[in-house]
Amino acid sequence: RAPVIVAIDGPAGTGKSSTSRAVAARLGLRYLDTGAQYRAAAWWMLGNGVDVRDPAAVAAAAEKPQIVSGTDPAAPTVTVDGADAAGPIRTREVTAAVSAVSAVPEVRARITALQRSIAAESVKNGGIVVEGRDIGTTVLPDADVKIFLTASEEVRAARRSGELKGKDASDLAATQASIARRDAADAGRKVSPLAKAADAIEVDTTELTLEQVIQCVVTLVEEKQ
Ligand code: C5P
């Protein structure tokens, strides 16, 4: 089979990560979570006294963190200056800071270059599934398959909260508000905003199970191979 590059974009809580990992594992492709790279940059900024609300300060520090991504879909990793960042990048503080950091052009330029080199390298290993916000539009505009995942705001908040049961209503409302804020920031920024590429296939996952979404994407990729 010819190597294949798959771009999966969409807002928070659409199941991008679960879908992308599973598709990569089933098709024997590498996997890159680009959100984890922006989170890693934000985590480094917070830990090194950079004011994330000051774009000039973030820009000045953009080259400093050494972010390394492991692309095995069975065990993806991200390290910053050699330290495992998988846990710390999922904290509420990092989630609240990441959109401000990812909006800074110097940060995007650096991380986009990293993503392109990982994608180019993956071609030797059959290809890669890359998930994010601007993969089909900016990072890999020549990707073989472009998917844009969507879902209703309610369903996305429920998924992000973990599950529909066992969470109280205020928790769900807070999650929904946090997702809405982040999506507005990501879609509204000047450089490389969250957007569906003109040639991306939109998959509305609101009424679909994760397995159905995975199957749908696997079929779309196989049709291209
Ligand atoms: O996918 P995840 O929710 O982990 O992404 C975290 C943040 O990283 C997003 O809210 C966005 O600000 C940024 N991001 C981005 N471009 C990408 C992937 C993520 O700006 N390709």
Side-chain angles (χ1 to χ4, degrees):
R1 277 197 165 151
V4 67
I5 305 263
V6 182
I8 302 190
D9 290 300
T14 49
K16 281 194 310 293
S17 296
S18 311
T19 302
S20 302
R21 264 184 82 168
V23 168
R26 286 187 202 181
L27 295 176
L29 304 174
R30 310 307 294 179
Y31 161 70
L32 177 63
D33 175 358
T34 65
Q37 297 176 306
Y38 287 103
R39 288 171 177 273
W43 176 55
W44 187 94
M45 302 278 166
L46 292 171
N48 287 272
V50 177
D51 180 358
V52 297
R53 291 159 307 178
D54 178 356
V58 172
E63 301 286 330
K64 291 186 182 165
Q66 292 304 315
I67 300 166
V68 176
S69 298
T71 59
D72 178 355
T77 57
V78 60
T79 62
V80 185
D81 298 341
D84 180 9
I89 63 169
R90 303 290 161 197
T91 60
R92 203 168 293 194
E93 290 71 27
V94 170
T95 300
V98 65
S99 292
V101 171
S102 75
V104 173
E106 287 79 359
V107 171
R108 298 207 72 81
R110 172 130 190 272
I111 292 183
T112 297
L114 194 59
Q115 292 160 354
R116 287 181 178 147
S117 79
I118 292 169
E121 182 68 24
S122 79
V123 168
K124 296 179 201 153
N125 299 302
I128 192 165
V129 179
V130 184
E131 60 141 313
R133 301 291 188 288
D134 64 337
I135 310 307
T137 53
T138 302
V139 179
L140 302 167
D142 298 328
D144 301 292
V145 182
K146 298 183 188 181
I147 311 283
F148 194 79
L149 296 184
T150 62
S152 75
E153 244 184 47
E154 292 75 16
V155 162
R156 296 195 285 120
R159 286 179 187 162
R160 200 31 75 90
S161 275
E163 67 290 286
L164 288 161
K165 285 175 289 183
K167 290 272 170 185
D168 64 86
S170 68
D171 199 355
L172 203 60
T175 303
Q176 190 164 343
S178 147
I179 284 183
R181 251 196 320 274
R182 201 144 58 89
D183 288 347
D186 293 340
R189 71 179 172 231
K190 285 209 185 72
V191 180
S192 203
L194 162 67
K196 176 183 169 296
D199 53 351
I201 298 160
E202 182 165 336
V203 180
D204 183 346
T205 70
T206 306
E207 307 282 336
L208 301 179
T209 63
L210 176 60
E211 183 53 35
Q212 287 173 318
V213 181
I214 294 165
Q215 269 309 323
C216 170
V217 177
V218 164
T219 303
L220 289 168
V221 175
E222 284 175 336
E223 282 169 0
K224 288 274 183 168
Q225 277 185 310

